[in-house]
């Protein structure tokens, strides 16, 4: 499966099921989140193959990372099914705090109200930073005027007060043409929406409502691609997969125009739209050997996984913290 195929699969409403045991002539054993399997428990210390199911849900931005990890992992543990669903960061946390999933993919940190929900259900967890992303603003290929936008210009487009008022590009900047402005972006359950509105509009969730929202980034791509005055935003990886269809806009946060790139995100010059990406794993899930095996593989092979999914790798300090955080979670799980 190619990265593009994996990305399109990841945003489908059905979960991805990775690691079919048929490839090795076995039969899969699936398990509800939070419960173990006899075969997994019995074989955990015997060096034999494990079986069971690892359930994840959440951010469509992080889904390709966890999907890549699952694909590689299935080569070593073909009897463990890893499912990756994409209900958005907020939707993923809702399921996670209800104990329905083992891992929550998130493009922003967990909110206080989500922490409270997890505490109310007795769900303990750890936050694991797995990669860096450069949130990318895109325009139509025929757009010749918006090669670089300031944070103030983006705010002028997207702030709540712009609703039904800022409807043409020349209202953003008199130098721009009198071209209708059509905005596309993630829905309100998306961590990408939360991050963008916080960094650009100064308040998480503050946004005009008269834009075309979708939890499927492919819909945003199609919207901008088909609209000369279109503008949207999503993760850097998805832009790379669609670079032939769209143009990335440079961002000026006060120190000049900077294009989104791995290097700019790592060195801190791409501001304010570079961000960390996370997975959250529950203590209860880590007590099951199939979940621990998957997380161990994820962390031990993080560079390979991030490179395959075309995200921005962790620096050595961040990679060391990731391993320490996972070790701490496993210690808490006993």
């Amino acid at each position: 499966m190619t990265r593009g195929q994996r990305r399109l699969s990841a945003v489908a409403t059905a979960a991805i099921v990775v690691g079919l045991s048929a490839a090795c002539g076995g039969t899969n054993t699936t398990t509800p989140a939070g419960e173990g399997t006899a075969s997994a428990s019995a074989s955990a210390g015997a060096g034999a193959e494990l079986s069971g199911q690892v359930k994840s849900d959440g951010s469509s931005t992080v889904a390709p990372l966890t999907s890549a990890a699952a694909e590689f992992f299935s080569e070593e543990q073909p009897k463990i099914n890893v499912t990756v669903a994409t209900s958005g960061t907020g939707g993923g946390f809702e399921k996670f705090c209800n104990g329905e999933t083992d891992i929550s993919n998130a493009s922003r940190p967990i909110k206080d109200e989500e922490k409270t929900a997890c505490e109310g259900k007795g769900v303990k967890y750890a936050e694991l930073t797995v990669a860096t992303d450069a949130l990318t603003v895109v325009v139509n290929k025929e757009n010749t005027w918006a090669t670089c936008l300031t944070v103030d210009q983006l705010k002028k487009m997207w702030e709540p007060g712009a609703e039904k008022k800022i409807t043409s590009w020349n209202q953003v900047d008199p130098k721009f043409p009198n071209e209708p402005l059509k905005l596309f972006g993630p829905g309100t359950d998306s961590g990408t929406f939360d991050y963008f509105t916080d960094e650009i509009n100064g308040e998480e969730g503050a946004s005009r409502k008269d834009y075309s929202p979708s939890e499927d980034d492919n819909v945003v791509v199609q919207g901008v691609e088909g609209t000369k005055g279109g503008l949207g935003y999503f993760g850097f990886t998805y832009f790379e997969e669609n670079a032939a269809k769209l143009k990335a806009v440079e961002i000026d946060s006060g120190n000049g125009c900077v294009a989104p790139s791995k290097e700019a995100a790592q060195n801190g010059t791409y501001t304010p739209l570079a961000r960390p990406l996370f997975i959250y794993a529950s203590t209860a899930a880590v007590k099951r050997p199939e979940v621990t095996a998957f997380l161990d593989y994820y962390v031990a092979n993080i560079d390979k996984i991030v490179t395959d999914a075309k995200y921005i790798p962790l620096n050595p300090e961040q990679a060391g913290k990731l391993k320490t955080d996972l070790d701490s979670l496993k210690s808490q799980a006993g």
Side-chain angles (χ1 to χ4, degrees), residues 82-194:
V82 180
T83 61
V84 185
T86 54
S87 59
T89 297
F93 277 132
E94 183 176 352
K95 293 180 181 180
F96 183 71
C97 293
N98 281 332
E100 298 173 31
T101 57
D102 308 305
I103 295 168
S104 203
N105 301 313
S107 58
R108 59 156 172 81
I110 190 169
K111 297 180 180 179
D112 288 342
E113 57 266 34
E114 292 162 342
K115 292 178 182 178
T116 300
C118 277
E119 290 171 0
K121 295 294 181 68
V123 176
K124 297 181 179 180
Y125 56 85
E127 177 187 274
L128 305 173
T129 302
V130 290
T132 302
D133 187 24
L135 201 157
T136 304
V137 176
V138 295
V139 294
N140 185 276
K141 281 283 189 178
E142 295 184 41
N143 185 321
T144 58
W145 58 91
T147 56
C148 177
L149 293 170
T150 68
V151 171
D152 286 343
Q153 287 173 328
L154 287 172
K155 182 179 181 181
K156 192 171 185 178
M157 294 181 195
W158 285 98
E159 64 185 344
E163 187 167 335
K164 297 181 179 179
K165 294 180 180 178
I166 305 299
T167 58
S168 175
W169 277 94
N170 64 356
Q171 291 176 289
V172 178
D173 188 320
K175 297 177 183 177
F176 294 160
N178 185 20
E179 180 72 34
L181 174 67
K182 179 67 174 177
L183 299 175
F184 302 85
T188 56
D189 275 342
S190 169
T192 301
F193 171 84
D194 290 336

Side-chain angles (χ1 to χ4, degrees), residues 137-143 158 169 182-185 212 217-234 245-247 249:
V137 176
V138 295
V139 294
N140 185 276
K141 281 283 189 178
E142 295 184 41
N143 185 321
W158 285 98
W169 277 94
K182 179 67 174 177
L183 299 175
F184 302 85
S212 298
D217 290 339
N218 191 51
V219 174
V220 179
V221 169
Q222 292 171 353
V224 176
E225 182 186 15
T227 310
K228 184 177 179 180
L231 178 142
Y233 63 91
F234 40 63
K245 302 176 182 178
L246 305 169
K247 290 170 59 176
V249 176

Side-chain angles (χ1 to χ4, degrees), residues 141 221 236-248:
K141 281 283 189 178
V221 169
F236 180 66
T237 297
Y238 207 51
F239 165 70
E240 285 192 316
E241 292 185 0
N242 292 278
K245 302 176 182 178
L246 305 169
K247 290 170 59 176

Side-chain angles (χ1 to χ4, degrees), residues 264-304:
Q266 284 178 323
N267 64 27
T269 58
Y270 186 68
T271 59
L273 296 180
R275 58 175 177 169
L277 301 176
F278 311 95
I279 61 173
Y280 287 74
S282 73
T283 304
V286 173
K287 292 180 180 180
R288 290 164 32 222
E290 65 269 28
V291 177
T292 297
F294 176 61
L295 289 171
D296 281 341
Y297 183 90
Y298 205 143
V299 170
N301 295 277
I302 191 63
D303 284 347
K304 175 183 177 182

